[in-house]
């Protein structure tokens, strides 16, 4: 079987919400501290405490939304510890992640400032597991109430006169696990109660996100939708790509070829999960009003040897780039239900965009995929049909290629293509309907590498980076795209 694709440039399938290119930054390891926040007095160049190199890199990929403060940290976080004069803020132990001191120097004001600097929507995750309804309700009041009230007055005393705009609010995180080990029935009731006090003040409208299922816990989705769908705007889903098992996930570099294969096979599983959870959501919400919010996804490998295992620091290779490309193509295809996704996590944690070492910062292969794919933000999803060759290893088989396409506001068509095969190139015949190819120009970028674990280091920061792609041959209304092994390509047709 060959690789054949038909793209219907005049058949619109909906809009790709740019929020699927969202991020997640938790108080975990060097994710916030050092990764983003170095403080005003740092020798690392910064703007109001936020490191400049990271700021510029994130701006370049048009990060649309940022989830904070966790993760598991969110259900242990008490927001009042992180406001007011820094010298008075509580110093505590981050019990969940590495047992290090959390000095609360990055709190609500710093996070909101960061989002403003980035032009990103804040997505705050509230504490259900160890917090009270009052605490959650007061946080929302503190951030968004414009009138006279104890919380709004306190915000003003702390230097923020105007209320912030806050759109996305999560009512707990992983409440089946670190967020309280609850049964879905119990959490559904708590969700109903807590969200009641997540109020809309003035013209601020909060999009409420209920804590969703772990991987294939379809019963969780069923119970939440059945008991609370009309009280939520979004329902989350968490799924990490882990090559082996939980206790020994496999290394981020120096892995054997079967781990390349299983990693990509597991990345493709996201499609099944969205379809099955989506089918349950359809039962209660056939109009797809409730968004599926995949607010934690990405690779999870063994931590880098010699680092604090509680910091979840891992290298990032061309394999991660493929995982990202596969996920985005899947999210695009489910644009009718998937309204946001937040990669875990932005910097120095799990599948990061950037890694830092003191004042040095490098971009990872995953960063480059976010950069290449940003052309799909808020674009119109196009109908794509076709078939893929098989990619076989050890008696198992997965599709060799993954493709999606969109049309932007200027009528430019972008096609993103991945070749998952670590050994063989893939020739894809792409028939483009609804465009006069004779009058069009095609350009492209490619991210690829010679070895399965090619990555960037502080010594060689540009080992893996996108370059111009020349593997396109036009023939009438079709193009032949020749993808080398292990590659991610984005084409622009205009
Ligand atoms: O991203 C790391 C952790 O993974 C998050 O804190 C938690 O929500 C998930 O289990």
């Amino acid at each position: 079987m060959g690789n054949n694709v038909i793209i219907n440039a005049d058949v619109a399938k909906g809009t790709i919400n740019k929020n699927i290119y969202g991020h997640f930054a938790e108080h975990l390891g060097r994710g916030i501290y050092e990764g983003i926040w170095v403080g005003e007095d740092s020798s690392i160049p910064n703007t109001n405490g936020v490191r400049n190199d990271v700021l510029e890199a994130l701006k370049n990929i048009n990060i649309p939304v940022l989830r904070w403060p966790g993760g598991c940290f969110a259900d242990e976080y008490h927001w009042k510890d992180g406001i007011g004069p820094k010298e008075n803020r509580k110093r505590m132990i981050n019990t969940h992640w590495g047992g290090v001191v959390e000095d609360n120097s990055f709190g609500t004001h710093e996070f909101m400032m960061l989002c403003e600097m980035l032009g990103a929507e804040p997505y705050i995750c509230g504490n259900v597991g160890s917090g009270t309804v009052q605490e959650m309700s007061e946080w929302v009041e503190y951030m968004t109430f414009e009138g006279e009230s104890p919380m709004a007055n306190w915000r003003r005393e702390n230097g923020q006169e105007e209320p912030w705009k806050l759109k996305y609010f999560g009512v707990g995180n992983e409440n089946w696990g670190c967020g309280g080990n609850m049964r879905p029935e119990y959490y559904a009731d708590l969700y109903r109660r807590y969200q009641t006090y997540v109020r809309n003040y003035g013209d601020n409208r909060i999009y409420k996100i209920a804590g969703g299922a772990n991987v294939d816990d379809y019963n969780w989705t069923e119970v939440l939708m059945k008991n609370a769908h009309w009280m939520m705007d979004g329902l989350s889903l968490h799924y990490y790509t882990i090559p082996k098992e939980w206790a020994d996930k496999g290394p981020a570099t120096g892995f054997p070829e079967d781990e390349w294969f299983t990693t990509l096979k597991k990345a493709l599983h996201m499609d099944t999960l969205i379809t099955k959870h989506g089918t349950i959501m359809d039962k209660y919400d056939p109009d797809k009003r409730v968004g599926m919010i995949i607010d934690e996804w990405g690779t999870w490998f063994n931590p880098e040897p010699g680092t604090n295992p509680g910091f979840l620091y891992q290298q990032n290779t061309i394999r991660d780039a493929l995982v990202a490309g596969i996920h985005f193509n899947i999210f695009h295809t489910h644009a009718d239900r998937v309204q946001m996704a937040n990669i875990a996590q932005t910097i120095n944690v799990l599948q990061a965009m950037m890694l830092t070492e003191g004042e040095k910062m490098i971009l990872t292969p995953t960063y480059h995929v976010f950069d290449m794919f940003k052309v799909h933000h808020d674009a119109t999803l196009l109908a794509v049909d076709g078939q893929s060759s098989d990619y076989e290893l050890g008696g198992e088989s997965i599709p060799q290629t993954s493709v999606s396409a969109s049309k932007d506001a200027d009528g430019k068509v972008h096609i993103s293509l991945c070749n998952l095969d670590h050994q063989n190139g893939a020739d894809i015949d792409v028939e483009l309907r609804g465009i006069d190819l004779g009058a069009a120009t095609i350009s492209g970028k490619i991210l690829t590498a010679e070895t399965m674990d090619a990555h960037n280091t502080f010594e060689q920061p540009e080992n893996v980076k996108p370059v111009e792609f020349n593997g396109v041959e036009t023939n009438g209304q079709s193009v032949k795209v020749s993808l080398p092994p292990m590659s991610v390509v984005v084409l622009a047709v205009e």
Side-chain angles (χ1 to χ4, degrees), residues 24 26 28 71-72 97 173-174 240 296 300 312 345 350:
F24 168 39
E26 178 168 14
L28 195 179
C72 294
W97 301 117
N173 168 72
E174 296 197 349
Y240 284 95
E296 288 187 32
W300 195 328
L312 310 186
Q345 299 192 5
L350 301 177

Side-chain angles (χ1 to χ4, degrees), residues 216-286:
D216 56 358
D217 184 353
Y218 301 115
N219 182 49
W220 186 279
T221 299
E222 172 75 36
V223 173
L224 262 288
M225 287 301 288
K226 182 174 177 194
N227 293 296
H229 71 86
W230 62 96
M231 293 187 185
M232 63 176 82
D233 300 298
L235 177 61
S236 74
L237 169 66
H238 288 183
Y239 173 60
Y240 284 95
T241 300
I242 300 172
K244 292 166 78 188
E245 67 273 335
W246 188 251
D248 173 19
K249 302 180 180 71
T253 56
F255 49 84
E257 62 178 1
D258 64 304
E259 284 177 35
W260 168 279
F261 185 87
T262 48
T263 303
L264 300 194
K265 184 174 176 196
K266 289 185 176 187
L268 288 165
H269 187 54
M270 182 57 96
D271 188 49
T272 306
L273 293 174
I274 296 174
T275 303
K276 291 194 173 173
H277 284 288
T279 304
I280 297 165
M281 292 175 80
D282 286 349
K283 195 165 116 188
Y284 298 99
D285 175 36

Side-chain angles (χ1 to χ4, degrees), residues 324-345:
I326 290 169
H327 274 80
F328 290 139
N329 283 343
I330 292 171
F331 295 156
H332 292 173
T333 329
H334 292 280
D336 55 349
R337 181 65 87 177
V338 179
Q339 296 304 331
M340 190 196 292
N342 308 73
I343 191 165
Q345 299 192 5

Side-chain angles (χ1 to χ4, degrees), residues 121-412:
E121 290 283 354
Y123 168 12
I124 286 192
C125 186
N127 181 344
V128 171
S130 71
T132 63
V133 175
Q134 182 180 0
E135 183 182 14
M136 185 179 286
S137 155
E138 287 182 341
W139 200 4
V140 173
E141 180 188 328
Y142 184 90
M143 292 185 281
T144 63
F145 188 62
E146 63 183 340
E148 178 82 18
S149 86
M151 292 302 120
N153 292 350
W154 197 13
R155 181 194 68 234
R156 289 187 200 98
E157 273 167 39
N158 288 330
Q160 179 67 29
E161 185 58 36
E162 295 300 317
W164 289 290
K165 284 277 171 248
L166 172 68
K167 183 156 179 197
Y168 299 105
F169 194 87
V171 181
N173 168 72
E174 296 197 349
N175 301 93
W176 39 263
C178 64
N181 285 309
M182 301 174 196
R183 296 175 308 116
E185 292 78 7
Y186 180 64
Y187 173 70
D189 282 347
L190 279 191
Y191 173 79
R192 290 166 58 130
R193 179 169 168 230
Y194 275 68
Q195 69 78 36
T196 306
Y197 305 95
V198 173
R199 301 211 187 275
N200 289 323
Y201 292 111
D203 60 359
N204 191 63
R205 288 288 164 276
I206 293 188
Y207 183 102
K208 296 177 191 171
I209 300 170
N214 183 29
V215 191
D216 56 358
D217 184 353
Y218 301 115
N219 182 49
W220 186 279
T221 299
E222 172 75 36
V223 173
L224 262 288
M225 287 301 288
K226 182 174 177 194
N227 293 296
H229 71 86
W230 62 96
M231 293 187 185
M232 63 176 82
D233 300 298
L235 177 61
S236 74
L237 169 66
H238 288 183
Y239 173 60
Y240 284 95
T241 300
I242 300 172
K244 292 166 78 188
E245 67 273 335
W246 188 251
D248 173 19
K249 302 180 180 71
T253 56
F255 49 84
E257 62 178 1
D258 64 304
E259 284 177 35
W260 168 279
F261 185 87
T262 48
T263 303
L264 300 194
K265 184 174 176 196
K266 289 185 176 187
L268 288 165
H269 187 54
M270 182 57 96
D271 188 49
T272 306
L273 293 174
I274 296 174
T275 303
K276 291 194 173 173
H277 284 288
T279 304
I280 297 165
M281 292 175 80
D282 286 349
K283 195 165 116 188
Y284 298 99
D285 175 36
D287 297 335
K288 302 187 196 292
R289 185 193 62 80
V290 179
M292 190 185 290
I293 307 294
I294 303 172
D295 51 18
E296 288 187 32
W297 69 273
T299 56
W300 195 328
F301 306 124
N302 293 337
E304 287 303 309
T307 63
N308 185 332
F311 281 13
L312 310 186
Y313 177 71
Q314 64 189 37
Q315 249 298 354
N316 193 290
T317 69
I318 186 72
R319 178 175 60 162
D320 294 77
L322 264 300
V323 169
I326 290 169
H327 274 80
F328 290 139
N329 283 343
I330 292 171
F331 295 156
H332 292 173
T333 329
H334 292 280
D336 55 349
R337 181 65 87 177
V338 179
Q339 296 304 331
M340 190 196 292
N342 308 73
I343 191 165
Q345 299 192 5
T346 309
I347 303 170
N348 290 333
V349 176
L350 301 177
Q351 187 173 353
M353 312 312 102
M354 283 157 271
L355 303 177
T356 63
E357 199 177 83
E359 62 185 17
K360 294 188 216 147
M361 189 275 282
I362 54 173
L363 304 175
T364 65
T366 299
Y367 176 91
H368 293 306
V369 176
F370 272 76
D371 194 18
M372 290 162 68
F373 277 57
K374 69 187 178 193
V375 291
H376 291 299
H377 288 200
D378 284 341
T380 302
L381 178 69
L382 298 180
V384 176
D385 295 305
Q387 57 182 25
S388 169
S389 295
D390 291 333
Y391 166 31
E392 290 170 4
L393 195 84
E396 289 195 82
S397 162
I398 57 176
Q400 187 191 21
T401 56
S402 151
V403 181
S404 74
S406 73
K407 192 191 268 189
D408 71 12
D410 300 326
K412 229 194 235 188

